[in-house]
Amino acid sequence: MSKSPRFGLLHDQDFGRLFAATALGQLGDRIIFLALPLATITALHADEFQVGLLTALTTAGSLLVGLPAGAWVDRTRKRSVMVSTDLARALVLLTIPVAWWAGLLTIWWLYAVALVHGVLTVFFDVAYVSYLPHLVGRGNLVEGNSKLSAIRSAASIGGPTVAGPLVGLIGSPATLAMSSAGMAMSALLAITIRKREQKPEPSERPRLGREIKEGLKFLVKYPTLRAIVLGDAIFNLFLVMYQTMLLVFLEREAGLQSFGVGLILSGMGCGALLGALSATRVSKWVGQGPVIWLAPLVTCPLTALMPLARTGWSVYAAAIGLAALSLGGVVRVVAQSSFQQALTPDRLLGRMSATARFVSCGGIPLGGLLGGASGSVFGATGTLWIGAAGMTLSVVPNFLSPLRTLRTLPTEKAPEFAR
């Protein structure tokens, strides 16, 4: 790709278009992250379990279509999948303000939107991760992942900052209409990317079950990949439990309004942005393998500051722990995503991504349900304690694997899976 010493991959027009499309899509997605639960809490006065169920349905797509999504994506061009799913998600979200203005919005409507949006997001994410090696080449994966993580983190800052006041001014349903517009613009930008990947050669006798089995076999064969996915699964389960009750804690126990909640979440985005900007340097300094377990081990315990907080300034002080969580999380994700992409042959990228997502994100719906149930039994504060402890323990699989001392990315694709 065309690069410059100053701007790196951003000098290339196609990567720049993907970068801009990511910015718009992620900005819309971050608005959803705040506006959809707040619509449930404030507009429909949902209880803790209903909020947890909404979170579970948002991520249930990983369980419903997680494995076949990879096989289907590997049969077609990834950019086309990204464009079509972005447009579909925009239309689905647009139904919320339409239903609100028509007086038809119910909790069941939000559940349906959350489920459909989550299924479409699975296809988008699988295609997105699989498309990057085609666009930038394997030698530029760490830089490409770092820059895209940086813009996603910047959107994490801007999204809640914009969404908080908007929810207060025009309400959650109308705010979601703006999120829909952002996703539609992201799709239109992705269409303008000129570099075309080759269409995968069709199998003579395509069999979905066999293709899924091949993706599973590839992931299970390598101890490092197994450890990454297992650590992710544990982390995501307890992260979702934590996040499910975080908004309830901030809204009802800390007494924050929409603007204050948005400010707290923007602080998390600041930590993520710092993590994205420093990910390449930290990985080189610590090592590509050790950083995957060291980053969460250092930052996850700080999330215990939030359940210690009380109404007033201490809530904003505790937000430092959330910013640290985001910083460590992005550093870890950049390192492990680059590792997975470097090891995986082109023809298996979709299946590897989908299989890893199925295993690591399969527990997210359970995390939402457990978060809601735990909130009903132990309260939001108790659930935050449980989530903080579980996220810290997620480092164990990676620490016990070869990643503990593996300092560099693999330089060759897995030979027996390359054909």
Side-chain angles (χ1 to χ4, degrees):
M1 297 194 73
S2 174
K3 296 176 65 175
S4 72
R6 183 175 181 182
F7 296 104
L9 287 175
L10 289 176
H11 182 71
D12 182 82
Q13 291 186 356
D14 283 338
F15 183 79
R17 292 185 177 101
L18 179 64
F19 186 83
T22 300
L24 288 170
Q26 286 295 312
L27 183 61
D29 196 54
R30 289 298 89 190
I31 292 175
I32 297 169
F33 179 79
L34 180 63
L36 193 58
L38 283 180
T40 311
I41 295 171
T42 59
L44 299 179
H45 308 291
D47 58 30
E48 286 83 353
F49 183 77
Q50 289 174 318
V51 175
L53 182 57
L54 181 75
T55 302
L57 289 172
T58 302
T59 54
S62 296
L63 286 177
L64 295 177
V65 297
L67 289 177
W72 288 328
V73 167
D74 276 337
R75 296 177 182 178
T76 187
R77 291 186 174 97
K78 279 68 176 174
R79 187 184 69 95
S80 300
V81 177
M82 291 163 54
V83 171
S84 59
T85 50
D86 249 349
L87 291 174
R89 289 191 297 174
L91 288 174
V92 168
L93 287 174
L94 195 58
T95 67
I96 294 179
V98 171
W100 172 264
W101 293 324
L104 300 174
L105 187 64
T106 65
I107 187 68
W108 296 103
W109 193 296
L110 290 181
Y111 286 162
V113 169
L115 180 60
V116 174
H117 183 273
V119 169
L120 291 170
T121 298
V122 171
F123 283 94
F124 177 87
D125 286 349
V126 169
Y128 184 83
V129 172
S130 306
Y131 183 61
L132 187 62
H134 291 284
L135 186 65
V136 305
R138 294 177 181 272
N140 298 312
L141 283 175
V142 175
E143 181 186 351
N145 280 315
S146 296
K147 282 184 165 56
L148 293 177
S149 292
I151 195 60
R152 287 197 295 266
S153 302
S156 296
I157 301 171
T161 302
V162 172
L166 280 176
V167 170
L169 288 172
I170 62 177
S172 299
T175 303
L176 288 168
M178 300 187 66
S179 177
S180 171
M183 288 192 169
M185 293 174 65
S186 171
L188 295 177
L189 263 175
I191 292 175
T192 65
I193 296 176
R194 295 172 300 177
K195 185 177 180 180
R196 298 291 187 265
E197 54 183 312
Q198 291 184 350
K199 188 174 182 179
E201 296 182 4
S203 174
E204 294 181 0
R205 301 174 67 182
R207 295 179 181 177
L208 184 62
R210 182 178 61 188
E211 293 172 353
I212 291 173
K213 182 179 178 181
E214 191 175 13
L216 284 167
K217 180 182 176 183
F218 177 78
L219 190 67
V220 170
K221 182 177 178 63
Y222 294 94
T224 49
L225 295 182
R226 291 200 306 267
I228 286 173
V229 173
L230 181 56
D232 254 2
I234 297 171
F235 178 85
N236 288 333
L237 174 70
F238 288 99
L239 174 65
V240 172
M241 287 185 64
Y242 190 98
Q243 288 179 330
T244 299
M245 287 299 107
L246 178 61
L247 288 179
V248 176
F249 177 86
L250 294 175
E251 173 99 9
R252 295 177 179 172
E253 299 191 25
L256 295 184
Q257 302 300 316
S258 297
F259 180 79
V261 173
L263 193 61
I264 295 289
L265 297 181
S266 294
M268 295 180 68
C270 290
L273 178 59
L274 182 59
L277 294 176
S278 61
T280 302
R281 185 174 302 174
V282 172
S283 294
K284 290 180 179 178
W285 177 51
V286 177
Q288 198 76 28
V291 77
I292 293 175
W293 62 268
L294 271 174
L297 180 63
V298 172
T299 58
C300 286
L302 297 177
T303 56
L305 292 174
M306 185 56 70
L308 291 172
R310 297 294 179 266
T311 303
W313 64 268
S314 63
V315 177
Y316 295 99
I320 295 172
L322 301 182
L325 174 69
S326 297
L327 188 155
V330 171
V331 170
R332 174 183 61 87
V333 167
V334 168
Q336 67 188 33
S337 297
S338 302
F339 185 95
Q340 290 169 319
Q341 290 164 341
L343 185 64
T344 308
D346 290 345
R347 69 182 189 86
L348 288 176
L349 280 167
R351 276 168 282 178
M352 181 281 297
S353 175
T355 304
R357 181 187 176 92
F358 176 79
V359 178
S360 63
C361 298
I364 289 180
L366 177 61
L369 292 174
L370 288 176
S374 176
S376 300
V377 176
F378 303 110
T381 302
T383 304
L384 294 185
W385 279 110
I386 295 170
M391 286 187 287
T392 304
L393 291 174
S394 69
V395 305
V396 173
N398 290 320
F399 178 77
L400 297 178
S401 77
L403 290 168
R404 186 173 65 254
T405 56
L406 189 63
R407 297 191 58 84
T408 58
L409 284 174
T411 56
E412 295 181 359
K413 294 175 283 188
E416 61 270 43
F417 289 92
R419 289 181 304 182

